[in-house]
Amino acid sequence: MISTSKYLSEIINRLIEKQPYDKVSGHTDLKSYIGTQYEVIGLSVPMQRSILKTGYTFSTLTLQDQLPVWDAIWKNADVYEVLSQCIYFVERNLLKLDANELWEVVRLWVKKIDNWAHSDGLSDIYAHLMEKMPEKIYGQYKLWNKSENPWERRQSLVGMLLYSKKRKTLLPAAKLLDMVGPLIADKDYFVQKGLGWALREIGNIYPEETMAFLNKHCTILHSVAFTTAVEKIDAQIKEMLKARRKEQRHKRKM
């Protein structure tokens, strides 16, 4: 077992010492904006990435030896920016780390997720790994799709494609949409946001299949999912789908 106390202290001290020189713009209450229960130092993403790039004392280890260190840090950290450093390390070295070894580590990280920012960071990593091991990771997504943990359900949607323009290989439309269907009635806001996002991204690469899905399900999609799903489609088609939703709501009131 790796002792992480000195590494955690090193990372936290480095993050804190940069705080006076880094002003986060746009959101005065960053913790509330992110929606996390972890402690937040309040550093911008560029500053956090810059700190990682500078490196830590253990950064001299090989990447293979650094991975279990960062895994131990993830499991023991309770500061938002420290957890972000773990994600940024993986992002920075995605092409250099062994995909199977990395997956066995990061697939468990979702269990500590409590906010959309870390969730999306993991989704980017998962989507990259899915290109390397599509069937293996799709099988995990099928399990997460039915999980009681909303962040696992969200990963089964967003982790498929984030972002579609970055993906070099893709699953068939049917497999992607099969992950969306079971969560149409999900009660969690971030799952619904992820569902709409997934439909939008699937639509970028499979427009006909996605439009058929929207035509079939548009009247029962949650407003959060619907708004996100149609934000980039043709204006006339969007208005037609909105009209159908409005008509259905009217019928329900009668």
Side-chain angles (χ1 to χ4, degrees):
M1 180 174 290
I2 296 171
S3 175
T4 59
S5 57
K6 66 176 182 179
Y7 297 141
L8 275 171
S9 297
E10 178 186 359
I11 295 171
I12 291 171
N13 289 337
R14 285 280 305 284
L15 293 167
I16 291 175
E17 73 182 17
K18 295 294 184 180
Q19 187 182 29
Y21 308 101
D22 186 42
K23 295 183 179 179
V24 180
S25 62
H27 299 280
T28 55
D29 187 352
L30 190 59
K31 185 170 184 175
S32 176
Y33 169 65
I34 296 167
T36 183
Q37 296 303 308
Y38 294 117
E39 291 301 314
V40 173
I41 295 171
L43 296 177
S44 66
V45 171
M47 176 59 79
Q48 293 178 63
R49 292 187 182 277
S50 174
I51 293 169
L52 177 69
K53 187 176 181 180
T54 302
Y56 298 100
T57 56
F58 57 91
S59 298
T60 57
L61 299 172
T62 66
L63 292 179
Q64 287 69 29
D65 288 337
Q66 284 186 62
L67 182 59
V69 174
W70 283 107
D71 183 39
I73 290 168
W74 176 272
K75 291 173 179 175
N76 290 277
D78 59 3
V79 177
Y80 171 80
E81 285 89 350
V82 175
L83 293 167
S84 296
Q85 291 284 287
C86 299
I87 292 173
Y88 298 154
F89 164 77
V90 174
E91 287 179 348
R92 185 176 174 84
N93 297 288
L94 267 177
L95 300 179
K96 300 175 184 177
L97 290 163
D98 177 79
N100 280 285
E101 181 182 353
L102 180 58
W103 171 243
E104 290 308 310
V105 171
V106 297
R107 71 182 178 86
L108 301 176
W109 285 13
V110 68
K111 297 187 181 300
K112 279 195 73 170
I113 295 295
D114 79 340
N115 64 87
W116 60 264
H118 285 156
S119 181
D120 287 357
L122 270 188
S123 291
D124 197 23
I125 294 167
Y126 290 163
H128 169 83
L129 292 174
M130 194 172 191
E131 291 186 277
K132 307 291 185 182
M133 305 173 290
E135 293 305 320
K136 184 174 185 178
I137 295 181
Y138 187 80
Q140 180 66 71
Y141 284 175
K142 292 288 283 186
L143 297 175
W144 284 348
N145 198 256
K146 302 174 183 178
S147 172
E148 293 184 1
N149 182 340
W151 296 107
E152 291 183 346
R153 299 199 301 275
R154 179 181 166 92
Q155 284 299 341
S156 74
L157 298 166
V158 183
M160 293 189 294
L161 289 173
L162 189 92
Y163 284 96
S164 58
K165 64 183 179 181
K166 294 172 64 174
R167 308 279 69 91
K168 296 178 180 178
T169 60
L170 299 160
L171 291 175
K175 277 199 166 187
L176 297 174
L177 292 171
D178 279 351
M179 207 68 74
V180 176
L183 297 178
I184 285 179
D186 200 281
K187 303 298 184 183
D188 186 86
Y189 171 85
F190 288 105
V191 173
Q192 286 296 337
K193 193 73 173 177
L195 190 149
W197 186 96
L199 282 173
R200 187 191 71 196
E201 293 298 308
I202 296 169
N204 288 339
I205 46 179
Y206 296 117
E208 292 183 6
E209 293 88 341
T210 306
M211 185 52 60
F213 186 94
L214 287 172
N215 276 321
K216 182 177 180 180
H217 299 291
C218 71
T219 59
I220 60 172
L221 283 178
H222 190 285
S223 59
V224 171
F226 178 80
T227 300
T228 305
V230 303
E231 64 183 0
K232 293 186 178 180
I233 69 173
D234 178 81
Q236 287 186 324
I237 297 176
K238 184 188 299 186
E239 291 305 313
M240 179 269 291
L241 293 173
K242 286 182 177 180
R244 288 182 56 194
R245 286 170 59 83
K246 185 177 181 180
E247 180 183 1
Q248 185 64 28
R249 286 197 299 270
H250 178 70
K251 288 181 179 179
R252 289 170 184 162
K253 292 178 181 179
M254 293 178 63

